[in-house]
Amino acid sequence: MEPVYSPVIAFARGVFALQGLRFTIVGDENVPTSGGAVMVINHIGYMDFTYAGLAALKSGRLVRFMAKDSVFRHPVSGPLMRGMHHIPVDRTAGATSYRAAVDALRAGEIVGVFPEATISRSFELKAFKSGAARMARDARVPIIPVVIWGSQRVWTKGHPKRLGRTNIPISIAVGEPIAVPLGSDPEQVTVEYKAVMQHLLDVLRSTYEPLTGADLKFLPAAMGGTAPTLAEATRLDDAEFAERQRKADARRADERTDRDD
């Protein structure tokens, strides 16, 4: 029982019930009841971290998620994130965030990571970054692969949020722990656990209710849906990143001009 995290979980589950969300969780016995682990999760919706944490409850565990530091600066979410001992990620000082995550793992925590870094507009697995594998290797803890399907129908990038009573089913699958011995190649480990996650995702999709009509926008193009292909989604992401970078550069230039004046 934690003074902040436990009430937040209870509140969230109440909200999920009001929304009529129907969760199916398989493999949650694979979450270790003690010791550190890196939980790696696919990313298809804004609420994924709130759903993925449910997979650890059967084992009596709480997941400390890595999240962008701006969330910790918000007057409402900031105190909650700090109270739940989540880990801020400052992209300008990545080494600090990495050390904090490894320290948490060595202290016996489960650290939640989205190796795709951003939401997949295609709802397929994007390229994975190798940071999760490096953390697991350096902390000498296993990787726990987790996949989610259905969360994109609640709230995802490029589509209006649907936070009312929708009765949307959400499926979660947890794979067996993957050992990451000291000396492992993080790139190879990443390839291996991504393949496990792809298999788990394929199984979830095969048993999920068929998506039709307007919901085809939440289905990958390769499955007959109208979501962007992985290549198209990558181009959209690259364009979005370039625009953010342009605005950031312009803002810095304006700040320099103001100082010079």
Side-chain angles (χ1 to χ4, degrees):
M1 184 76 174
E2 290 199 8
V4 177
Y5 212 148
S6 298
V8 167
I9 290 174
F11 175 77
R13 296 181 80 172
V15 171
F16 300 158
L18 289 173
Q19 292 175 302
L21 301 182
R22 294 174 283 132
F23 291 93
T24 300
I25 304 176
V26 296
D28 46 351
E29 70 277 3
N30 289 318
V31 178
T33 57
S34 63
V38 179
M39 179 181 283
V40 289
I41 311 137
N42 67 318
H43 205 7
I44 54 175
Y46 288 111
M47 303 302 291
D48 287 341
F49 72 99
T50 65
Y51 305 147
L54 298 176
L57 296 184
K58 182 177 182 179
S59 296
R61 305 300 300 277
L62 298 173
V63 182
R64 315 300 177 179
F65 287 95
M66 299 189 75
K68 58 185 179 181
D69 60 344
S70 60
V71 180
F72 291 79
R73 295 194 299 269
H74 190 277
V76 176
S77 63
L80 292 175
M81 295 294 282
R82 289 188 292 274
M84 291 184 281
H85 304 292
H86 294 312
I87 301 169
V89 177
D90 182 351
R91 293 178 181 175
T92 66
T96 301
S97 304
Y98 183 86
R99 284 195 299 271
V102 171
D103 287 345
L105 291 166
R106 288 173 174 164
E109 299 285 3
I110 295 179
V111 173
V113 179
F114 294 99
E116 297 165 285
T118 59
I119 290 173
S120 173
R121 301 173 192 260
S122 69
F123 311 124
E124 302 280 16
L125 296 183
K126 298 173 57 176
F128 279 20
K129 298 183 182 299
S130 62
R134 289 191 291 113
M135 286 177 199
R137 179 198 63 188
D138 293 352
R140 302 187 187 185
V141 300
I143 285 176
I144 311 296
V146 175
V147 294
I148 299 175
W149 187 248
S151 64
Q152 74 274 27
R153 299 173 66 189
V154 177
W155 187 13
T156 192
K157 185 177 288 187
H159 298 286
K161 60 178 75 76
R162 303 163 73 189
L163 301 180
R165 189 167 184 83
T166 57
N167 300 315
I168 290 172
I170 296 175
S171 299
I172 303 171
V174 184
E176 295 181 359
I178 300 170
V180 187
L182 195 65
S184 299
D185 176 6
E187 298 292 343
Q188 183 58 37
V189 171
T190 302
V191 169
E192 292 171 0
Y193 82 70
K194 183 180 181 182
V196 172
M197 291 176 68
Q198 184 63 63
H199 172 70
L200 292 172
L201 186 57
D202 290 342
V203 172
L204 282 192
R205 289 169 170 174
S206 69
T207 57
Y208 193 83
E209 67 177 32
L211 298 183
T212 59
D215 274 353
L216 284 174
K217 61 179 175 287
F218 299 120
L219 194 65
M223 298 178 66
T226 59
T229 65
L230 186 56
E232 291 167 344
T234 299
R235 286 195 291 272
L236 289 170
D237 288 341
D238 290 345
E240 184 180 81
F241 177 80
E243 178 61 16
R244 283 203 308 268
Q245 191 65 50
R246 184 193 66 77
K247 288 181 178 178
D249 291 344
R251 185 168 59 252
R252 284 191 290 268
D254 290 342
E255 290 171 353
R256 285 195 299 269
T257 301
D258 290 342
R259 286 196 300 270
D260 291 343
D261 291 344

